[in-house]
Amino acid sequence: MENPVVAPFAQKPALAAPLVDGATLFEANCAACHAGGGNILPFARGKTLKTPALKKNKLLDQEALVTFVKDGKGAMPSYSSKLSDDEINSISEFILLRASENW
């Protein structure tokens, strides 16, 4: 029996595959603090993953966002020792896609 969760993604072009991985990786590593593109930390509510906040914090491009995820800053931990470069790139692609769709 075909898995109904995976089946729709299997029919999309290869370009969509990193976004599937990015969504899964985001859910496992980021969603606890950033569900729906938000930020659960009371002192960092303005530092969301939504377009205006990403733009304000100069994170609205792939390279800057990848660097931020790798290095971390403040309450945001570094993920360079937890995730591979490909995984961080996939998460960043997912974040930028979802931000462009207004989460």
Side-chain angles (χ1 to χ4, degrees), residues 55-73:
K55 186 175 182 179
K56 179 182 176 185
N57 293 299
K58 298 179 175 62
L59 297 173
L60 198 54
D61 74 70
Q62 180 79 18
E63 186 177 335
L65 190 54
V66 164
T67 299
F68 184 77
V69 174
K70 283 183 179 181
D71 296 345
K73 183 176 181 183

Side-chain angles (χ1 to χ4, degrees), residues 5-83:
V5 175
V6 176
F9 296 111
Q11 298 171 1
K12 293 187 178 184
L15 184 60
L19 299 180
V20 173
D21 293 338
T24 302
L25 289 163
F26 180 88
E27 185 64 32
N29 295 282
C30 313
C33 292
H34 295 290
N39 192 326
I40 66 163
L41 299 175
F43 59 86
R45 296 244 189 238
K47 295 181 179 177
T48 68
L49 301 178
K50 297 183 180 183
T51 299
L54 290 171
K55 186 175 182 179
K56 179 182 176 185
N57 293 299
K58 298 179 175 62
L59 297 173
L60 198 54
D61 74 70
Q62 180 79 18
E63 186 177 335
L65 190 54
V66 164
T67 299
F68 184 77
V69 174
K70 283 183 179 181
D71 296 345
K73 183 176 181 183
M76 168 76 181
S78 165
Y79 281 86
S80 61
S81 62
K82 183 175 181 182
L83 299 170

